[in-house]
Amino acid sequence: MLKKISISKKYPLSTIIVMPPDLEIETYLLKTNKLFLLAFCLMLFMLTGLIFTILLIRNSGEFSLTTLLIGILLFFISPLVFINKKITLFSKKANIKLTNTLLKIDILNKSTYDLEEQHEYFFCNIKSFQIGESEANNSSYIKLVLDKGEKVKYSFFDQTNNEENVLKNVQLFFADYNKGKNVDQKINILPTFYTTKEGKYSIIGLTILLGIVLILQIIFKPQTIPLSFITSLVMYLKIKSQQKSDISIQKKFEQL
């Protein structure tokens, strides 16, 4: 996507990066509020499944590790795998256009490709933005804070690590726009939750809570320790991985 051009024979080792006049990306998109609704429905399904599994074990009169494992597979692992692999079933087709001054988002009907919504955001009207990505389902999100205080959020899917990655290209175009601008004219990057003090404290609190739960299990239900420990460890590592990714994204943009 980026072209490197030698400045002159006088400076053979020097190159400059020329941003393309515009770039179009085809992807899948969900407005973040709809993504939250999907996540809420998924959590409700998982919670209902957990309650059903617990009641089934209770009615059997004895603890059954096999029943618990089957319940986790059916109501936790399977839904997460399905959502990660088939998220595009719930999303809209979208064309993203980036120019030196504008971010344009066209939302299309997946069947007919007819234009349903069109959103345009001029860089000069964007005060700040927040971005994040998830390697689990090749997704990314962006939140724009406009000059009038309005906030808009979008989540993009099917985002492989290539030249059509929305997150990476938005960073490049915003960074190019910021060059030569005064501080109050630049588009600033906002920290994500896990990169703030509150986020870091929440991770510490979660670590302490998991430790307390593990101690209580050792005292009252030692047979459940392996399963709960593995589940807690996976959740903790996922959060730490997301925190590391968010910190890396923020540093990369600041260095552009």
Side-chain angles (χ1 to χ4, degrees), residues 30-146:
L30 261 181
K31 289 186 177 179
T32 307
N33 58 343
K34 292 185 178 180
L35 181 61
F36 286 155
L37 179 61
L38 177 62
F40 174 77
C41 293
L42 178 63
M43 291 300 297
L44 187 62
F45 175 82
M46 294 168 70
L47 181 60
T48 303
L50 177 62
I51 295 173
F52 173 79
T53 304
I54 293 174
L55 290 176
L56 188 63
I57 294 174
R58 184 177 179 181
N59 291 335
S60 68
E62 61 180 11
F63 177 79
S64 173
L65 181 60
T66 302
T67 304
L68 184 59
L69 287 173
I70 292 174
I72 290 175
L73 176 63
L74 290 177
F75 299 109
F76 277 80
I77 298 177
S78 296
L80 289 175
V81 171
F82 176 79
I83 290 296
N84 282 339
K85 298 296 182 182
K86 300 297 182 181
I87 189 66
T88 52
L89 293 175
F90 307 94
S91 59
K92 296 279 189 179
K93 191 77 174 176
N95 285 336
I96 314 299
K97 184 174 182 179
L98 283 160
T99 72
N100 293 330
T101 59
L102 173 72
L103 167 62
K104 182 180 177 182
I105 301 175
D106 291 340
I107 302 176
L108 312 175
N109 183 288
K110 266 198 303 189
S111 301
T112 63
Y113 290 89
D114 291 335
L115 182 64
E116 293 185 350
E117 296 181 44
Q118 190 174 72
H119 306 274
E120 293 184 349
Y121 305 103
F122 287 93
F123 292 172
C124 60
N125 295 328
I126 301 174
K127 301 301 293 182
S128 55
F129 74 107
Q130 184 183 77
I131 50 177
E133 63 181 350
S134 172
E135 295 181 358
N137 53 15
N138 292 324
S139 66
S140 60
Y141 79 90
I142 181 170
K143 178 175 78 172
L144 303 176
V145 180
L146 307 180

Side-chain angles (χ1 to χ4, degrees), residues 1 8 11 31 64 70 80 92 103 113 127 144-145 158 166 195 227-229 231 241 250-251 253:
M1 184 193 72
S8 67
Y11 306 101
K31 289 186 177 179
S64 173
I70 292 174
L80 289 175
K92 296 279 189 179
L103 167 62
Y113 290 89
K127 301 301 293 182
L144 303 176
V145 180
D158 198 21
V166 176
T195 61
L227 181 62
S228 62
F229 176 75
T231 304
S241 175
Q250 188 166 341
K251 286 183 177 180
F253 178 75

Side-chain angles (χ1 to χ4, degrees), residues 211-223:
I212 294 173
V213 170
L214 184 61
I215 292 173
L216 292 175
Q217 283 184 297
I218 293 173
I219 298 173
F220 299 105
K221 287 282 186 180
Q223 67 269 29

